[in-house]
Amino acid sequence: IYMYKQYQLPYAYEALEPHIDALTMETHYSKHHAAYTKNLNDAAEKAGVAGRDITELLANLDSIADSGLRKAIRNNGGGYYNHNLYFSTISPDGGGEPEGALAQALTREFGGFAAFKEQLSALALGQFGSGWAWLSAAAGGKLLLSASPNQDNPIIEGSSFVPILGIDVWEHAYYLKYKNLRADYVQAFYNVIDWKAVAANYCLLYTSPSP
Ligand code: MN3
């Protein structure tokens, strides 16, 4: 039985049409994300770290002695974690803008929702090749925008920030529908962002004590 479990989708593959097409969702979830999950579980078992919390494990990859297993856990553990976040922060009822503490923080740190969206989109478009653009939060409620290559994220990069929303800009996330037009996918992605889920992620960090 696997220690690390793939997030269970509460919506159908076709539910995010027309913004994200059904075949992309099915392939992304049941092939790519499933493979990251299986490969993480296999590598963690071999490395003897299968009982560890995924966030703690990704923050301490140096603790894995074998370089091949360390690399496998970085890539597949990142892929597992990043896609659990991705699929849990999009919804057929998504779109619009956040409310409450998260909305206030976006205004405080970036000058408002429109400015935040512009900066995050620029990071998503500027990421050369495969990777992610992130909105992350730290204990106490501070926010950070960043981008990472491959399946890296701010936790793997040693940041004190934890991602609360990620735009997957690997071609597997958009190529079937958008082909080379990453900008069109990024624009459409805002129509499916579940801001209630992102705000819930934010509140967990906002209310945790500063280190
Ligand atoms: Mn992906």
Side-chain angles (χ1 to χ4, degrees), residues 52-205:
R52 285 167 63 179
D53 173 76
I54 187 61
T55 307
E56 183 276 324
L57 185 58
L58 293 177
N60 297 284
L61 287 168
D62 288 351
S63 66
I64 300 160
D66 182 277
S67 64
L69 289 173
R70 191 187 318 128
K71 187 176 178 186
I73 291 172
R74 179 179 189 149
N75 291 336
N76 294 288
Y80 162 77
Y81 178 95
N82 295 345
H83 288 86
N84 269 4
L85 179 66
Y86 181 85
F87 288 117
S88 65
T89 49
I90 55 180
S91 162
D93 305 317
E97 298 185 16
E99 297 171 352
L102 179 57
Q104 289 164 18
L106 290 176
T107 297
R108 183 182 72 233
E109 305 238 4
F110 310 119
F113 183 78
F116 149 77
K117 184 177 168 182
E118 191 175 320
Q119 290 176 51
L120 182 64
S121 300
L123 286 163
L125 297 181
Q127 173 57 42
F128 183 78
S130 297
W132 293 77
W134 303 110
L135 170 64
S136 303
K142 232 177 117 47
L143 295 174
L144 175 76
L145 293 173
S146 66
S148 306
N150 305 314
Q151 295 296 351
D152 286 356
N153 62 38
I155 299 167
I156 293 173
E157 290 158 354
S159 164
S160 58
F161 287 82
V162 173
I164 60 172
L165 171 70
I167 307 180
D168 186 344
V169 294
W170 283 59
E171 287 184 344
H172 69 223
Y174 63 88
Y175 210 85
L176 291 177
K177 180 178 173 74
Y178 294 98
K179 300 296 186 287
N180 58 312
L181 303 177
R182 185 189 286 189
D184 289 359
Y185 157 71
V186 168
Q187 189 59 40
F189 187 78
Y190 291 93
N191 295 318
V192 298
I193 295 176
D194 182 350
W195 285 111
K196 286 197 173 70
V198 179
N201 291 341
Y202 179 65
C203 284
L204 281 177
L205 290 154

